[in-house]
């Protein structure tokens, strides 16, 4: 049975999600981890998000294959028109979809991690978004 996915143009105005709505949609689409760029977030009114999926060499025997998940993640981003609503305003959403990283990336901080969810029952860490926002806001006012 083919996997159906319901994201796509609706003919209505574009969806402008909040970060928690975006993360939930990406999680449901099969994201392994969802990251925020710590170094580039909130500069020039941009919020850079990276969603990763299981690399083809590490695919589990069950569930959708990595190519299907990659397409579903891209469709989520395509459906929201590159904008994000956070802290009472709209930001430009800069996004990428990539295979899961094999090495740690210190420039990215997780907003969601499926491995942590499987272990502890909750893989969401949206507080990281607020911490980076506050960090950026404080550095902007110090300049």
């Amino acid at each position: 049975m083919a996997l159906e996915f319901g994201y796509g143009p609706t003919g209505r105005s574009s969806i402008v999600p909040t970060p928690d709505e975006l993360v939930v949609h990406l999680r449901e689409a099969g994201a392994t981890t969802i990251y925020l760029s710590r170094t580039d977030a909130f500069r020039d009114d941009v919020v850079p998000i990276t969603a990763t999926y299981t690399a083809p060499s590490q695919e589990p025997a069950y569930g959708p294959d990595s190519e299907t998940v990659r397409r579903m993640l891209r469709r989520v981003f395509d459906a929201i028109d590159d904008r994000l609503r956070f802290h009472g305003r709209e930001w430009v959403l800069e996004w990428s979809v990539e295979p899961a990283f094999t090495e740690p990336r210190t420039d990215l901080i997780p907003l969601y991690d499926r491995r942590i969810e499987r272990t502890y029952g909750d893989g969401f860490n949206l507080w990281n978004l607020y911490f980076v926002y506050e960090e950026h806001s404080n550095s902007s006012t110090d300049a």
Side-chain angles (χ1 to χ4, degrees), residues 7-77:
Y7 290 98
T10 61
R12 294 179 284 174
S13 61
S14 301
I15 300 166
V16 182
T18 60
D20 53 331
E21 291 169 333
L22 174 62
V23 169
V24 167
H25 288 296
L26 292 170
R27 175 191 172 272
E28 292 301 314
T32 301
T33 311
I34 302 164
Y35 295 100
L36 173 70
S37 171
R38 181 180 199 146
T39 55
D40 298 329
F42 305 107
R43 292 181 189 194
D44 301 321
D45 299 329
V46 173
V47 176
I49 301 284
T50 300
T52 67
Y53 56 93
T54 303
S57 62
Q58 300 172 343
E59 284 179 5
Y62 58 90
D65 63 273
S66 59
E67 181 59 25
T68 300
V69 172
R70 185 189 69 76
R71 283 195 320 269
M72 289 190 301
L73 293 170
R74 291 186 62 82
R75 286 186 73 182
V76 170
F77 283 120

Side-chain angles (χ1 to χ4, degrees), residues 9-17 78-83 85 90:
T10 61
R12 294 179 284 174
S13 61
S14 301
I15 300 166
V16 182
D78 288 342
I80 62 172
D81 195 31
D82 299 336
R83 291 179 295 151
R85 190 176 51 238
E90 286 188 17

Side-chain angles (χ1 to χ4, degrees), residues 101-117:
F101 303 121
T102 57
E103 299 291 324
R105 296 271 311 263
T106 58
D107 60 322
L108 301 176
I109 60 170
L111 301 178
Y112 169 77
D113 190 321
R114 188 171 299 276
R115 291 169 300 189
I116 291 173
E117 182 177 59

